[in-house]
Amino acid sequence: MTHKESLLRLREGNARFVEDHLDSKLQNSSRRDSLINGQKPYAIILGCADSRVVPELAFDTDLGELFTVRVAGNIANTSSIASLEYAVAHLETKLIVVLGHQSCGAVTAAVSGGDNGNNLNHLLDHITPAIAESSQDASINDVVKKNAELTATDLINKSSIIKNAVETGDVNIIAAYYHLNSGKVEFLN
Ligand SMILES: [Zn+2]
């Protein structure tokens, strides 16, 4: 499947989710059996840990269809990038979606600033560039979108595996924004 075909499937799945017409049925024992010997996910999602933003539901996918990495603020750190590299290099997945979402708590915390302790400080540092590149009166959701876009660029800058795959046209990276109220995923580029 090309990255264009993958994107189309994500769009179609999200449309079903938005319209309350989920048709994902392949989550039973026979589907599990069919996946024992390997996986072939058609898209990679770098999403937030937020319980309200579940990629497999938002895109109405079956078991084994999405390679999902979730971390608060959908940031590109060493571990999340390494996970994405695995899917690019070994599973030959062609599409990466960086999925930010409305009212993200991690982005809100980063904008608020202050000392949040070692671990959270480390995570929030990855969101700081998006704040720096947003205007003074930018809303949280504006920063969320900027963060998704910069993270998409970061994946290329911080990973030779991903950079090479993008340069050869094998892989495409798209930033996206999830609306909590409608369930709609807005693709940003
Ligand atoms: Zn979030």
Side-chain angles (χ1 to χ4, degrees):
M1 199 184 293
T2 66
H3 54 74
K4 283 185 181 165
E5 290 165 336
S6 298
L7 180 59
L8 182 62
R9 281 184 77 164
L10 291 181
R11 284 185 188 280
E12 289 172 347
N14 183 241
R16 291 193 299 275
F17 178 68
V18 168
E19 291 157 14
D20 287 335
H21 287 145
L22 294 179
D23 78 0
S24 185
K25 298 176 196 71
L26 297 177
Q27 296 174 358
N28 52 21
S29 56
S30 69
R31 179 64 172 176
R32 289 199 298 275
D33 287 346
S34 75
L35 291 167
I36 285 174
N37 293 320
Q39 56 173 324
K40 204 79 186 157
Y42 71 78
I44 302 165
I45 312 292
L46 175 58
C48 185
D50 194 295
S51 64
R52 300 166 294 180
V53 187
V54 181
E56 288 79 0
L57 291 172
F59 295 114
D60 191 24
T61 58
D62 302 323
L63 217 52
E65 289 192 329
L66 291 186
F67 188 95
T68 305
V69 177
R70 291 176 67 180
V71 57
N74 40 269
I75 59 158
N77 65 9
T78 305
S79 299
S80 66
I81 294 172
S83 303
L84 269 56
E85 286 177 341
Y86 174 77
V88 168
H90 298 288
L91 305 178
E92 296 172 2
T93 311
K94 309 288 190 208
L95 178 66
I96 301 173
V97 177
V98 180
L99 183 61
H101 69 94
Q102 183 180 353
S103 306
C104 181
V107 171
T108 304
V111 169
S112 300
D115 185 359
N116 294 283
N118 249 359
N119 298 317
L120 187 52
N121 284 346
H122 162 84
L123 188 148
L124 299 181
D125 279 349
H126 291 81
I127 301 174
T128 306
I131 300 169
E133 288 208 17
S134 298
S135 62
Q136 286 284 3
D137 57 352
S139 68
I140 292 296
N141 294 332
D142 291 335
V143 180
V144 166
K145 290 178 184 176
K146 179 63 75 179
N147 181 52
E149 289 167 351
L150 292 185
T151 300
T153 307
D154 248 13
L155 294 179
I156 295 170
N157 293 337
K158 292 181 176 170
S159 166
S160 56
I161 291 173
I162 294 173
K163 184 169 191 261
N164 290 341
V166 169
E167 283 178 353
T168 58
D170 276 348
V171 166
N172 194 26
I173 308 179
I174 299 184
Y177 176 84
Y178 178 89
H179 294 260
L180 288 180
N181 46 352
S182 65
K184 171 91 177 158
V185 174
E186 182 185 333
F187 292 96
L188 300 174
N189 57 322

